[in-house]
Amino acid sequence: MYNLAFFGALAGIVVLLAVAALSNRITKGKFRLEVGGDYDERQQAARGVAYRNAFWAVVGYLALLQLLDIWNPPLYVLSFVGLFLALAVFLVSCIVLDAYIGLNDDPKKWVISSAVLLVIQLVGIAAYAPDFDEAAANVFTAALLAVVLVAFGVRTLLHRGQTEDEE
């Protein structure tokens, strides 16, 4: 069983890289994976704050697990929850601090990509609905994508309100 899970995760990573390369090819006309983007100094400093927030969120999560000892799921579930908690805190911090999207990136592309990935994860959850252990990664990924989309939506609404007040 472990080998199947390992090969499934490996296949997922390969598919992710292929989709990222294809997306990059379609949007920029080049076949290469880009890591990072063009961020100004303010955005780089804000990303540093977001990394710090994510680190302390995981430290707090691990401390609560040890101190309260009220939840004993399998180790991989604890790991996924910690990983996705850190990612959620990092991404929401970056979105709130306006450091998630680089200077030359299109926010619509990120929102559409996140929404499509959320739908794919929801299909995976529906396929494994009777067995949570099989769909745990899909559930956490869907929750993370939903949090990111909500943060984008709130940020957009707040940003619209600020621009209307300035005009």
Side-chain angles (χ1 to χ4, degrees):
M1 183 68 176
Y2 175 76
N3 289 336
L4 292 177
F6 172 76
F7 287 120
L10 187 62
I13 291 170
V14 169
V15 169
L16 173 70
L17 291 174
V19 168
L22 181 65
S23 173
N24 198 21
R25 171 90 173 160
I26 291 169
T27 58
K28 296 191 178 190
K30 303 172 190 165
F31 189 75
R32 62 188 171 112
L33 289 174
E34 290 184 14
V35 177
D38 296 328
Y39 297 98
D40 60 15
E41 293 83 16
R42 180 194 56 80
Q43 287 177 314
Q44 289 175 351
R47 287 170 61 96
V49 169
Y51 282 122
R52 185 184 66 217
N53 293 344
F55 170 77
W56 286 113
V58 170
V59 169
Y61 165 75
L62 293 174
L64 281 176
L65 284 178
Q66 292 299 315
L67 292 175
L68 298 179
D69 195 29
I70 57 174
W71 190 40
N72 294 320
L75 183 59
Y76 70 91
V77 173
L78 290 173
S79 300
F80 269 119
V81 171
L83 174 68
F84 284 88
L85 175 68
L87 284 172
V89 169
F90 172 75
L91 294 173
V92 170
S93 294
C94 283
I95 291 169
V96 168
L97 299 172
D98 195 27
Y100 183 63
I101 298 174
L103 297 174
N104 299 324
D105 286 337
D106 182 18
K108 289 180 184 176
K109 176 178 79 171
W110 290 104
V111 170
I112 291 169
S113 299
S114 297
V116 168
L117 289 173
L118 178 60
V119 169
I120 291 169
Q121 295 305 315
L122 292 174
V123 169
I125 292 169
Y128 291 109
D131 189 8
F132 178 78
D133 288 343
E134 295 292 328
N138 297 83
V139 170
F140 296 132
T141 305
L144 176 67
L145 290 168
V147 166
V148 167
L149 287 172
V150 167
F152 263 124
V154 169
R155 173 83 173 129
T156 301
L157 290 175
L158 291 176
H159 187 65
R160 280 188 187 158
Q162 290 173 353
T163 57
E164 289 176 1
D165 291 341
E166 292 172 1
E167 293 176 358

